[in-house]
Amino acid sequence: MPKLTIDGKEIEAPAGTNLIEAARRLGIEIPHYCYHPGLSIAGQCRLCMVEIGNNPRPQIACNIQVAEGMVVRTETAKVLATRQSIMEFHLINHPLDCPVCDQAGECWLQIYYMKHGLYEPRMMDEKVHKPKAVPLGPHVILDAERCILCSRCVRFCDEITGTGELGIFQRGDHSEIGLFPGRELSNPYSANVIDICPVGALTDRDFRFAVRVWYLETAKSICPGCSRGCNIEVHYNLRRPHHNQGRRVARLKPRYNREVNRWWICDAGRYGYKFVDDPSRLLLPARRADTQADEVVWEEIIPLVAARLSAYRPEEIGVLASPQMANEDLFLLRRLVDHLGIPNVDFRVPSRASGDEDRILIKADKNPNTRGAELIGLGPRPGGLDARGVLRAARERRIKCLWVLHHDLLLSAWPEEETREALRALDCLIFQGSNANGVSPSAHYVLPSATWVEREGTFANFEGRVQRFWKAVEPVGAALPDWEIIGRIGEALGMGPLPATAEAIFKALAAEVIAFRGLSYRELRDAGKPVASS
Amino acid sequence: MAELILTRNFHRPDSHALRLYQETGGYEGLQRVLALPPVTIIETVKKSNLRGLGGAGFPTGVKWGFIPKGHPGPVYLVINADEGEPGTFKDRYLLERDPHALIEGMIVSAYAIGSHLAFVYIRGEYVQPWRRFARAVEEAYAAGFLGRNILGSGFDLDVVVHRGAGAYICGEETGLISSLEGKKGWPKLKPPFPAIRGAFDAPTIVNNVETICHVPHIVQRGAEWFAALGTATQGGTRMYSVSGHIRQPGVYELPVSVTLRALIYEHAGGLPDGRRLKAVVPGGSSAPILRADEIEVAMDVDGLKNAGTMAGSAGVIVMDETVSIPEALMVVARFYAHESCGQCTPCRESTGWIFKMAQRIVEGKGRKEDLDTILDVARRGAGTTICAFYDGAVGPYISYIEKFRDEFEALIPK
């Protein structure tokens, strides 16, 4: 590996590494706009200039690769003066509308201006005017005056999605980003251009004007939208609860994971969190007799549910676990099912709509933890019924008690009338989930779950990568994490005390389930770890 | 009068026809040249001190030598006929009046660099030059000078004639390549240089029309002959486009060592109506301006470089005492603002800004700090961009103000 010196510090970096990345490893930030590690090198913004060796002309760090013996200086008077000039050029035609710009607070023009600004504006002439507030597609809106023409969005659509909707039109200071005629920015990854836009040119139609970004807090998480398990950040607002109509989760952003999603997420995942702060959330446990539903407290409903589960013969009970649930939930559920000896357990309920899939990120399986459910073993026990068999048996009144976790069975691929008939025929229907759905209104017991942003846990993606997600906000109402609900029922059934934390459950899981052996909850860290290869 | 090489047939009304070209010796030595080892041709061109005549003045043979040896894929020769430098019209004359000279030059050059497909990128506004040249290509194919197994040599060459769409930046060699590839005419980052990875990602040599027209003469008459026509560092003659306040505007082929004074007064007839010379732009609009007392200078690449300006495209723009230099700067600044491709921030943003300042000054609304702002902005932006366009704009920005500052200050309200 070439060894070079950056600002007097020696570093070895693999051949092919550019100077921005090499400096980053040393904790040296070389300011830049157009460079993005996931895209080709454009070299247009000219901000990343550094001095190399004795070359009198500063060079752009993005397009220079490390070489043996190279001496790079990133903070010389010449470099700083160049940065200041380039910043001035970037700003002369940029509107001074930060107070009303949604990017304010996370704008790289602001950030670099603070450090490298000229502070004495010399441009007194009329700025160039360009189109403003132009919707480019369902999610993205353009302010061409704020655009610094770094071309990241254009390169994203050319190189990552291959859809090529965007181009730079006109010339000189009249250049502007725009759509090719007849196109709209509607590819399944379109909103990534908002993330990579370093300024306020491309903003999010869903998020803009909802919350100022400095009120947001961040939690690391995993997208539950499909089995890819893209790493994300949950941006939530608790400091200004009156903003954004009281919705706490303000937006999801991709979080880099080289092995999973790199810098990107799909639009379906990005905007798929709305159920979290939706009026359909189940807030309190409830029991229903005839048509009357009574909201009750957990202390009251847990013994009741435990009693019902003990009241039937194991063959008369069906349990439909969900691949939406975390490994910790599924593990406790499996223990409970084994404790009671229930043979009719399944987690696979085919959905009516067939899932789309592509070669970038999107997987057809819209569940985050199908692999976890498989590995932990939530399928039918020997002689037990699968999900469809359970419903059939319910219609025939051979299954008398059904515990449905999360699934909306009415949206399954099976005939809706048959499902309704099965649910009607049940003696006892327990529904556990975060939001009301087609099943919950007919449940005798409703157990409200926390959503994934209201708790922590792990999912195993389609490749068997076990990844942690962290808690962002408190559960609404009395909702509890699934593992806690299951654990409390287990406690009531005499299975021993409720585990204290998700981590404690994971430890037990890793000890008991072969595929998870050797994994430690903490050591999964941000990027996750693969299960043992089968 | 020195011998005319490139323009020797220009006076003949049918100079563009294949028949006339052949009658005056054209294609005569081609068969012999195509039997030489290609490396011999490259060495000859190196020794001749032929330098690129499009603007940059880079040694042609050296450029050819950058093509990777034994490259397995195709190698392309691209002729830059996107003549757009204000004040320059020599390539237009060559395309219109002696198109076969370019074709023969292309055959020899392509053979030297191992290319079997050559592109000619002709400026969009050049309709007649394009017609003449395209016709000549047809003639050359019909006569067996292009196509397969040229003159039984075993060498194949096809020529694609491509018309540009009128952007100045497409005359920059990598902007030209982008445009040729069907993309927006944006210059490309270097490295990689075109000789390593150019058009369609293949090694590519881009040469100016006039440069290539010299090649057959050099190969046939020898490097020493050509080198002796010029100075120690630049061989041959070149074609000067002389325009502006001059008695006989036109194209003059002269040894590169001619002085600017001789070109203006001896060859082009001096200024009309006894007017006094005020300034000259010696190498196309991007070349820094010279005052009337600075014209005792040799017109070769290094002679003009030492005089603080550049030979560029040899477009000589003569300005007499009636010219307002601030207005001239405004016009030039408008050109660069209009033609900046918009790719690099310093060029995109400051060409427009400088034009606005220059325009305000001409309109009598200048501020006293404007001149220093223009100078400072130009100096800060120089050398910070992908291509040489901005450095070309900086030439006039700085030189017009530095050399004629009084004229600017006179327009700025006290």
Side-chain angles (χ1 to χ4, degrees):
Chain A
M1 284 201 290
K3 193 186 281 179
L4 66 159
T5 309
I6 303 177
D7 292 345
K9 296 179 200 161
E10 273 204 353
I11 182 173
E12 273 185 60
T17 308
N18 74 12
L19 295 182
I20 292 181
E21 295 297 339
R24 213 196 294 266
R25 290 172 177 218
L26 285 169
I28 297 167
E29 194 210 358
I30 300 176
H32 58 271
Y33 289 123
C34 68
Y35 171 71
H36 187 285
L39 303 173
S40 64
I41 304 289
Q44 293 169 209
C45 74
R46 315 308 288 178
L47 187 59
C48 68
M49 298 233 190
V50 294
E51 285 200 75
I52 300 170
N54 298 321
N55 191 329
R57 262 171 66 152
Q59 305 289 306
I60 48 172
C62 63
N63 196 42
I64 306 273
Q65 298 179 351
V66 295
E68 185 63 35
M70 192 180 249
V71 177
V72 180
R73 287 168 300 156
T74 76
E75 296 280 342
T76 63
K78 194 183 272 181
V79 168
L80 294 177
T82 304
R83 268 181 212 164
Q84 203 176 40
S85 301
I86 304 291
M87 284 308 298
E88 180 183 34
F89 295 138
H90 270 111
L91 288 163
I92 57 171
N93 282 306
H94 190 87
L96 196 63
D97 64 351
C98 303
V100 297
C101 176
D102 212 53
Q103 189 82 2
E106 54 183 1
C107 171
W108 290 93
L109 277 175
Q110 289 181 327
I111 293 166
Y112 290 147
Y113 181 75
M114 297 312 289
K115 202 170 167 197
H116 301 291
L118 194 61
Y119 284 63
E120 288 287 338
R122 300 191 286 179
M123 161 76 176
M124 302 295 170
D125 296 279
E126 183 71 12
K127 292 174 190 271
V128 179
H129 294 294
K130 296 180 188 175
K132 296 179 86 72
V134 184
L136 296 183
H139 306 303
V140 184
I141 195 158
L142 165 71
D143 185 319
E145 290 188 345
R146 293 182 191 147
C147 174
I148 57 166
L149 294 155
C150 71
S151 82
R152 280 181 175 183
C153 55
V154 176
R155 282 175 284 147
F156 178 84
C157 293
D158 286 349
E159 298 165 13
I160 305 298
T161 59
T163 45
E165 298 94 335
L166 295 173
I168 294 179
F169 300 87
Q170 311 298 341
R171 273 193 326 228
D173 62 10
H174 287 74
S175 301
E176 61 183 66
I177 298 286
L179 292 162
F180 281 100
R183 302 295 304 274
E184 68 167 352
L185 185 56
S186 56
N187 71 64
Y189 298 86
S190 67
N192 286 288
V193 301
I194 300 160
D195 306 332
I196 59 179
C197 178
V199 300
L202 300 177
T203 51
D204 191 329
R205 297 180 73 177
D206 183 67
F207 172 74
R208 70 186 197 131
F209 311 139
V211 191
R212 302 262 38 175
V213 298
W214 47 85
Y215 296 132
L216 295 177
E217 286 163 273
T218 296
K220 286 176 274 195
S221 191
I222 301 297
C223 176
C226 82
S227 61
R228 173 74 58 181
C230 291
N231 291 207
I232 56 169
E233 278 182 2
V234 178
H235 289 188
Y236 58 97
N237 162 39
L238 301 176
R239 289 185 240 177
R240 288 295 182 279
H242 49 289
H243 291 176
N244 202 17
Q245 282 95 45
R247 288 191 291 269
R248 300 164 302 163
V249 177
R251 61 181 181 183
L252 305 184
K253 286 282 190 185
R255 176 166 61 94
Y256 176 74
N257 186 325
R258 196 183 57 161
E259 307 298 329
V260 181
N261 55 306
R262 305 208 300 152
W263 301 268
W264 325 120
I265 54 173
C266 73
D267 293 352
R270 182 186 300 263
Y271 300 112
Y273 65 88
K274 298 298 176 72
F275 66 94
V276 171
D277 290 312
D278 192 81
S280 67
R281 283 298 299 277
L282 300 170
L283 301 177
L284 295 167
R287 58 179 296 200
R288 183 180 285 103
D290 299 324
T291 55
Q292 179 71 32
D294 289 323
E295 288 176 340
V296 293
V297 293
W298 284 108
E299 288 69 20
E300 199 180 335
I301 202 163
I302 294 289
L304 289 174
V305 170
R308 295 306 295 265
L309 289 172
S310 318
Y312 299 96
R313 287 184 288 120
E315 315 82 72
E316 292 175 328
I317 303 174
V319 176
L320 297 184
S322 167
Q324 293 282 327
M325 294 159 67
N327 291 316
E328 295 70 25
D329 312 329
L330 294 166
F331 179 67
L332 288 196
L333 184 62
R334 199 201 77 179
R335 273 191 172 174
L336 189 149
V337 160
D338 290 349
H339 176 77
L340 292 175
I342 300 169
N344 311 312
V345 186
D346 202 358
F347 64 92
R348 293 183 190 87
V349 175
S351 69
R352 191 169 301 156
S354 65
D356 54 321
E357 178 158 322
D358 64 24
R359 290 166 168 211
I360 305 174
L361 296 174
I362 298 170
K363 301 295 289 178
D365 176 6
K366 300 305 173 196
N367 297 295
N369 202 27
T370 300
R371 192 88 183 96
E374 284 167 2
L375 293 168
I376 293 166
L378 272 297
R381 297 292 174 269
L385 300 167
D386 67 6
R388 182 132 202 216
V390 164
L391 289 184
R392 195 175 298 124
R395 286 208 307 281
E396 294 162 3
R397 299 181 192 267
R398 288 186 284 119
I399 294 281
K400 298 206 166 90
C401 173
L402 178 60
W403 185 3
V404 178
L405 296 106
H406 294 276
H407 290 291
D408 190 342
L409 299 173
L410 297 177
L411 295 180
S412 76
W414 304 321
E416 194 179 319
E417 201 35 56
E418 283 183 28
T419 307
R420 285 190 192 281
E421 200 186 315
L423 296 180
R424 273 198 304 268
L426 287 164
D427 188 35
C428 173
L429 174 60
I430 304 164
F431 177 77
Q432 177 171 335
S434 60
N435 293 60
N437 66 12
V439 176
S440 61
S442 41
H444 302 99
Y445 301 94
V446 174
L447 309 175
S449 309
T451 59
W452 99 111
V453 295
E454 295 164 331
R455 47 165 294 184
E456 60 178 285
T458 64
F459 293 137
N461 80 350
F462 76 103
E463 293 174 308
R465 170 171 289 267
V466 182
Q467 305 189 98
R468 272 182 77 177
F469 56 92
W470 281 259
K471 179 175 173 175
V473 293
E474 290 299 324
V476 290
L480 291 174
D482 282 320
W483 63 263
E484 194 168 340
I485 301 171
I486 298 162
R488 287 194 189 193
I489 296 171
E491 202 176 22
L493 288 168
M495 288 175 62
L498 172 74
T501 60
E503 181 176 1
I505 304 170
F506 190 88
K507 193 171 178 185
L509 162 66
E512 203 175 311
V513 178
I514 293 167
F516 287 76
R517 198 160 286 170
L519 293 180
S520 137
Y521 194 68
R522 300 222 168 169
E523 280 167 20
L524 294 176
R525 298 177 197 276
D526 289 358
K529 288 217 161 74
V531 293
S533 50
S534 42
Chain B
M1 191 76 152
E3 181 196 352
L4 297 179
I5 301 159
L6 301 181
T7 60
R8 67 190 185 285
N9 290 335
F10 276 18
H11 61 287
R12 305 274 296 260
D14 55 348
S15 62
H16 56 281
L18 174 61
R19 184 185 43 76
L20 185 112
Y21 184 68
Q22 288 190 279
E23 277 171 23
T24 55
Y27 294 122
E28 212 173 73
L30 190 57
Q31 202 154 19
R32 186 182 66 81
V33 172
L34 294 182
L36 295 171
V39 67
T40 307
I41 300 174
I42 296 179
E43 286 309 312
T44 304
V45 171
K46 273 186 196 166
K47 272 187 244 152
S48 75
N49 288 343
L50 173 63
R51 293 175 74 161
L53 300 172
F58 195 82
T60 305
V62 175
K63 192 190 245 187
W64 291 3
F66 293 153
I67 292 280
K69 303 278 173 288
H71 180 74
V75 170
Y76 299 126
L77 173 67
V78 176
I79 304 304
N80 186 344
D82 191 54
E83 185 173 55
E85 181 73 12
T88 315
F89 38 90
K90 63 190 178 67
D91 295 337
R92 170 184 173 177
Y93 274 61
L94 285 166
L95 293 166
E96 282 183 4
R97 302 192 185 191
D98 207 354
H100 284 285
L102 175 59
I103 294 171
E104 185 172 1
M106 289 170 66
I107 298 166
V108 176
S109 306
Y111 175 73
I113 64 169
S115 171
H116 300 286
L117 182 57
F119 299 88
V120 182
Y121 188 102
I122 301 182
R123 175 178 174 172
E125 294 90 336
Y126 275 12
V127 177
Q128 182 67 359
W130 162 67
R131 286 200 184 115
R132 284 268 173 92
F133 184 74
R135 174 80 197 108
V137 168
E138 285 170 20
E139 283 182 317
Y141 267 106
F145 296 121
L146 290 175
R148 300 222 155 252
N149 192 19
I150 295 166
L151 303 179
S153 63
F155 177 66
D156 306 332
L157 179 66
D158 283 304
V159 169
V160 174
V161 181
H162 182 96
R163 297 182 69 196
Y168 173 70
I169 196 61
C170 292
E172 195 277 345
E173 68 174 353
T174 56
L176 187 153
I177 288 171
S178 294
S179 175
L180 188 65
E181 290 170 335
K183 301 169 189 157
K184 186 167 180 165
W186 272 9
K188 299 186 181 199
L189 283 176
K190 288 157 273 206
F193 287 88
I196 309 298
R197 203 162 83 218
F200 310 103
D201 287 339
T204 301
I205 293 294
V206 183
N207 280 139
N208 169 260
V209 170
E210 186 187 357
T211 313
I212 290 297
C213 288
H214 275 303
V215 170
H217 302 282
I218 293 169
V219 175
Q220 281 167 37
R221 298 170 72 169
E224 294 72 18
W225 160 79
F226 189 81
L229 294 174
T231 64
T233 53
Q234 183 178 14
T237 60
R238 77 179 299 182
M239 292 163 64
Y240 295 94
S241 312
V242 184
S243 65
H245 299 133
I246 191 80
R247 217 186 289 268
Q248 294 157 23
V251 169
Y252 294 87
E253 183 184 4
L254 292 163
V256 297
S257 54
V258 70
T259 65
L260 184 52
R261 175 181 296 284
L263 179 60
I264 293 172
Y265 290 100
E266 291 167 28
H267 299 281
L271 277 66
D273 311 325
R275 296 218 212 135
R276 283 208 350 249
L277 182 69
K278 181 176 197 173
V280 191
V281 175
S285 64
S286 305
I289 201 164
L290 294 173
R291 286 191 311 259
D293 59 354
E294 295 176 308
I295 62 171
E296 206 61 68
V297 58
M299 291 290 282
D300 68 306
V301 171
D302 292 320
L304 285 170
K305 191 173 164 190
N306 294 336
T309 179
M310 66 178 191
S313 61
V316 177
I317 304 166
V318 181
M319 302 182 189
D320 73 15
E321 63 205 339
T322 66
V323 169
S324 156
I325 299 294
E327 262 183 62
L329 180 64
M330 181 188 78
V331 170
V332 160
R334 182 167 55 208
F335 174 80
Y336 287 102
H338 184 67
E339 295 294 347
S340 167
C341 80
Q343 186 175 202
C344 303
T345 307
C347 174
R348 176 183 70 237
E349 301 297 337
S350 69
T351 50
W353 183 18
I354 287 174
F355 165 60
K356 285 173 188 166
M357 288 189 276
Q359 187 177 36
R360 253 195 308 100
I361 292 168
V362 169
E363 288 171 352
K365 297 179 210 151
R367 282 185 280 261
K368 61 180 190 309
E369 64 272 20
D370 283 339
L371 294 176
D372 287 329
T373 303
I374 294 175
L375 291 173
D376 186 60
V377 167
R379 289 192 184 111
R380 281 167 167 258
T384 66
T385 50
I386 289 174
C387 80
F389 175 99
Y390 190 70
D391 293 352
V394 164
Y397 294 155
I398 293 181
S399 64
Y400 285 38
I401 292 177
E402 281 189 339
K403 295 193 176 175
F404 297 92
R405 190 165 179 125
D406 293 353
E407 261 191 74
F408 287 88
E409 285 176 345
L411 289 175
I412 295 174
K414 294 283 173 285

